[in-house]
Amino acid sequence: MHQLANRADEDGVGFTPETLGRTKIVDADADSATFEYVVQKSDCNFSNNFHGGAIATLVDNLTTAALFTRERKYFQYGGVSTDLHVTYISAATLGMTVLLECKIVKVGSGLANTTAILKDKATGRVLATASHTKFNTDSRMGGGSKL
């Protein structure tokens, strides 16, 4: 996560490094990670609510980061998304501290399945739930098994 948070290219720093740089790891074990994130103006829509696209991107990045909590043979490079489903339940507003509880459901040689629950840290109210499937690209990136 540290490498992603500090990555920049010739065009400068993008959304992923900026958001990961503002994300705090609260807890992690071999099958889950909990993150804390404060909603910024740049994350919001015109109503100052956490934009659905920003939430989906954060879920994408943090469920992938959760994969790195586990000793694994595959997904050395994090893989690529095959599907990402987010159910938006309640609005998160500008300045709100959000907890993202990311869990690893299963990691195989080809696919990894993860889930996330986003909650208002102050009240525990569920804001969104998500499921995320990743495809393993290790063999295309020069590492891991080619089977």
Side-chain angles (χ1 to χ4, degrees), residues 19-99:
T19 56
L20 288 179
R22 294 191 320 246
T23 303
K24 178 182 172 187
I25 300 170
V26 175
D27 189 31
D29 61 31
D31 289 318
S32 66
T34 300
F35 303 93
E36 185 176 290
Y37 186 81
V38 177
V39 179
Q40 304 292 309
K41 182 70 174 169
S42 60
D43 303 323
C44 292
N45 59 22
F46 66 92
S47 300
N48 284 328
N49 290 321
F50 203 178
H51 190 283
I55 291 171
T57 302
L58 196 59
V59 166
D60 182 354
N61 290 318
L62 296 181
T63 54
T64 300
L67 285 173
F68 297 116
T69 64
R70 166 186 280 206
E71 182 67 34
R72 66 205 183 286
K73 182 177 178 180
Y74 307 106
F75 288 88
Q76 300 301 309
Y77 297 95
V80 295
S81 299
T82 61
D83 69 83
L84 176 66
H85 179 83
V86 181
T87 300
Y88 303 97
I89 298 168
S90 186
T93 57
L94 176 63
M96 180 183 284
T97 301
V98 176
L99 291 177

Side-chain angles (χ1 to χ4, degrees), residues 101-116:
E101 299 171 354
C102 302
K103 297 195 183 312
I104 299 167
V105 177
K106 182 178 181 190
V107 178
S109 63
L111 294 174
N113 302 96
T114 62
T115 62

